[in-house]
Structures are given as C-alpha cells and as structure tokens.
Amino acid sequence: MAIFDYPIFDEIRRMNKRQVAYQVLNFAMIVSSALMIWKGLMVVTGSESPIVVVLSGSMEPAFHRGDLLLLTHNREDPIRVGDITVFKIEGRDIPIVHRVIKVHETASGEIKFLTKGDHNQVDDRGLYAPGQYWLTDKDVVGRGTGFVPYVGMVTILMNDYPKLKYTVLGLLGLFVLIHRE
Amino acid sequence: MHSIWSRANSVFAFTLTAMSAVTFAVFLSTIWSQRVTDVTILATNPRVRVMPDYISESGRSDHAMVSLNIEADVSPIFNWNVKQLFMYLVAEYKTPKNTINQVVLWDKIVLRSERSVVIETNAAPKYYFIDDGQHLRGHENVTLYLKWNIIPNAGYLANAKAEGSYQVKFPSQYVSGRF
C-alpha cells in the first residue's frame, strides 16, 4: 500500500466515516446536477438530443468537425426548405446534420423531405435506407437553432481515443472524492 | 494556494468562464441585427418536360428548367457575428397532390468580404427541378424567392427570407428532345 503514503492522500487518512459519507454525497450531488441540467435541456428543447457535436465535414465551411449545435424539436413548426435538420436513418445510431433541400407536404400535413450536406456534391438519397427515398417527421431528432464553435472537440477526442476518456473520467472522480473543499 | 497545480487550475477555470461570458455576449449583441434586404430575381425561358423517374409512384415526373438572374447585395447583413451566409433560391408552388412544394434550385455560400454582392446572369439551376408528380406543365404560379441562412460565429442560426420574389408561369406544352 505504498501508493497511499503520498501527501496527496493525507486527506483520506484523516477522514472519519462521516467525512467519507460527505464526500460521496458531494460526488452524487455533482453527478445528479449534471443529469438534471441535461434532462431539463431535453424538456425545454423538445429534442431527445439537445446538444450534438458535428462529426463530419459535410457541412463545411459552415460547421466543422468539433462544432457544437443546439437543437430544438418543435413538432408544431413544419420542416421547411433550408432548415438544418439532425436526423437518424432507421437502423443506424449516428445523427446526421444536413440541410433540407426539397419538401413536399400533402393536404393532410404529411411531409416528406430530402436533405443534402452543403459540402457534398450529391443529395443524401444514397445515405437513406435501401428503398427509402424521402425522410419524414419521425426521422428528425431536431433542428439546429444555436451554434458554438470548437467546443465539441473534447467529445471527438474522447471518442477517438477511448483510453483518454477513461483516464480523464477516472482522474476527475478521484479528485472529487479526495479533495476536501 | 501557491503550488503550480492550484495556479494552473485557477487560470484554467477563469479562462473558461471568461470565454463563455464573451461568447454569450457576442450572441446577445447581435440578436436584433438586420437580417433581411431587397433582392431582384428574374427567371426567363421556363420550360417543362416529362422524364422517367424511379422514385415516383407513376414512374414519370415533370422536370422544369429556367434561366436564373439574381441580384442581391447582402453587405448590410454582415456584422461581427456573421461567419458566412448560405444563400439559396426556393421554388414554391401548390399542386393538386401536395399543398406545399418547396424545391431548392440554386445555392451559394457567401463569405465575408469587402462588399458582398451576388450577381447571377442566365445561370442554370444547380439542382434538378423535379416535381413530385406531373403538375408543372401549365402551372401559373410558381414563386421563386431567395432565402439565406445566417451562420454566426456563435449564437442563433437564423433563416431569413429576402424581400423580392418572382412568379414563373410554365408553358402548357411539354418540350421534347434537347432541353
């Protein structure tokens, strides 16, 4: 147990049960606050994924890899041409952020639309599921309403280097547990 | 309070807070800025043909062509929080099959420069103007208007419609042969 002889762990050795419980409670408070903020955002924006990170360069030069998009999903407001929609193809998990270039709406309100990335030469029909030529409301995760550059780079780095993700999370957890303030 | 780690920690936390505050201020400062301006749109030589289309239920769809003339001076839209404008021309019309049809015919990315003026003369549409059905022949009321998506440096992604549209009337006969 030589590792616990370092001064950084003095705090733990001096703690009694009540202080340990306090630290754990502190940790739980931080985690649940983060969760509340996330779920609160989901309710306010109406989207199951209120913040997405742009993963590909298909919308350059507007959005680059690592930019952050705030999504809202207002089902009352119909999809119109020019909207930046985030959608998921049936059977695939990855959300795609592209622009709507064609909309056809019937009298009963059924909408079918076609998307294309700004930087792509062709529209997205090649990306849709086999036999699917149009997207509908149920494929939509949300519409891009807000934009913050670069901030999402952290998520991309953590996804590309999973070891980095575990190290950062591990270190964070450790520091919250052993730090008194 | 004097170790290198606590100093680095304070500096890092303060930098993050300051940058978030400035980003938010940049967003707030341009909420009410001008988004719309006047444009001139003219479409000449409208023609329609019918083409085989594997996507439609009937197997055939109307395909329309026009010659586009666009004049837009968007310099007043560029403020310090505008990264670029994504400008696109929309053809909107109503058919017996669909109450609303919107097709993007042409788009352009307008980057920041000394004076941003877009002038297109007799340009061909960038994208196929294909109807969902065969309702463009003889259509009297296809409206062309210009919209742009204002991409900010940080903040709200706005879609604005410019003042100035053009109504296209398509001939009642199909064109055959070369288009």
Side-chain angles (χ1 to χ4, degrees):
Chain A
M1 297 291 261
I3 192 167
F4 285 113
D5 289 339
Y6 285 101
I8 200 171
F9 291 113
D10 272 349
E11 300 280 322
I12 294 192
R13 269 184 276 133
R14 268 183 256 125
M15 276 194 236
N16 59 28
K17 273 205 271 277
R18 171 173 287 174
Q19 284 163 331
V20 170
Y22 181 77
Q23 290 296 93
V24 171
L25 205 63
N26 217 15
F27 183 68
M29 281 288 283
I30 294 176
V31 171
S32 47
S33 301
L35 198 63
M36 283 198 307
I37 294 177
W38 181 250
K39 292 288 175 185
L41 261 184
M42 276 173 62
V43 168
V44 164
T45 61
S47 163
E48 64 199 30
S49 184
I51 295 183
V52 289
V53 176
V54 175
L55 295 171
S56 73
S58 55
M59 285 292 279
E60 289 190 9
F63 308 142
H64 297 263
R65 237 170 91 85
D67 291 341
L68 206 77
L69 274 177
L70 173 72
L71 304 181
T72 57
H73 193 187
N74 184 358
R75 287 165 180 85
E76 310 293 316
D77 190 12
I79 301 274
R80 291 291 173 246
V81 147
D83 288 347
I84 295 175
T85 45
V86 178
F87 56 91
K88 283 192 187 163
I89 314 259
E90 257 177 74
R92 277 172 245 168
D93 259 341
I94 315 170
I96 303 177
V97 184
H98 281 172
R99 195 183 296 274
V100 174
I101 59 168
K102 271 193 190 176
V103 167
H104 294 289
E105 178 173 339
T106 63
S108 56
E110 278 172 47
I111 300 182
K112 59 186 188 190
F113 60 95
L114 177 66
T115 56
K116 173 179 168 294
D118 289 348
H119 206 234
N120 295 345
Q121 293 289 69
V122 297
D123 58 43
D124 290 343
R125 283 222 166 93
L127 288 178
Y128 300 164
Q132 180 187 15
Y133 299 121
W134 303 95
L135 290 176
T136 54
D137 281 329
K138 64 173 175 46
D139 301 305
V140 176
V141 170
R143 234 178 298 209
T145 38
F147 168 76
V148 185
Y150 311 124
V151 174
M153 233 11 202
V154 182
T155 314
I156 292 196
L157 285 174
M158 302 237 273
N159 271 334
D160 286 350
Y161 307 107
K163 289 203 190 102
L164 180 67
K165 175 163 54 173
Y166 298 133
T167 335
V168 168
L169 284 177
L171 279 175
L172 272 176
L174 204 60
F175 279 124
V176 171
L177 280 171
I178 68 177
H179 195 69
R180 279 277 212 118
E181 294 158 336
Chain B
M1 197 43 218
H2 300 292
S3 76
I4 188 104
W5 287 115
S6 61
R7 284 188 173 138
N9 184 36
S10 308
V11 170
F12 182 64
F14 184 69
T15 312
L16 271 190
T17 318
M19 293 210 311
S20 317
V22 170
T23 307
F24 191 64
V26 167
F27 155 59
L28 277 185
S29 66
T30 51
I31 290 185
W32 290 287
S33 50
Q34 181 188 358
R35 295 211 173 110
V36 172
T37 182
D38 291 340
V39 300
T40 319
I41 305 171
L42 178 69
T44 55
N45 195 10
R47 50 217 193 267
V48 189
R49 71 178 185 123
V50 67
M51 58 172 256
D53 189 4
Y54 65 91
I55 292 173
S56 74
E57 297 97 35
S58 63
R60 286 152 73 82
S61 296
D62 276 359
H63 173 204
M65 273 288 271
V66 283
S67 223
L68 297 171
N69 295 284
I70 302 168
E71 267 174 46
D73 181 3
V74 285
S75 334
I77 314 273
F78 277 93
N79 55 55
W80 65 0
N81 195 21
V82 174
K83 185 158 79 169
Q84 63 175 63
L85 290 189
F86 186 86
M87 196 185 276
Y88 50 101
L89 186 79
V90 183
E92 183 164 339
Y93 58 99
K94 189 176 151 119
T95 63
K97 185 178 176 197
N98 295 313
T99 42
I100 299 176
N101 297 280
Q102 294 181 327
V103 181
V104 171
L105 298 187
W106 169 93
D107 59 35
K108 186 180 171 92
I109 294 177
V110 183
L111 298 169
R112 179 190 286 278
S113 77
E114 276 296 306
R115 190 157 174 263
S116 307
V117 181
V118 172
I119 298 184
E120 298 281 322
T121 318
N122 288 326
K126 259 186 169 186
Y127 306 111
Y128 285 115
F129 186 174
I130 297 179
D131 183 34
D132 178 34
Q134 296 181 248
H135 306 286
L136 282 177
R137 176 168 56 110
H139 202 296
E140 296 276 301
N141 194 1
V142 173
T143 313
L144 298 184
Y145 55 87
L146 201 67
K147 281 185 86 165
W148 42 71
N149 189 202
I150 300 174
I151 317 268
N153 282 317
Y156 177 60
L157 287 162
N159 256 324
K161 179 170 164 178
E163 304 278 335
S165 62
Y166 186 78
Q167 197 177 337
V168 183
K169 293 182 175 35
F170 283 106
S172 47
Q173 298 283 58
Y174 280 132
V175 160
S176 57
R178 281 193 67 79
F179 200 33

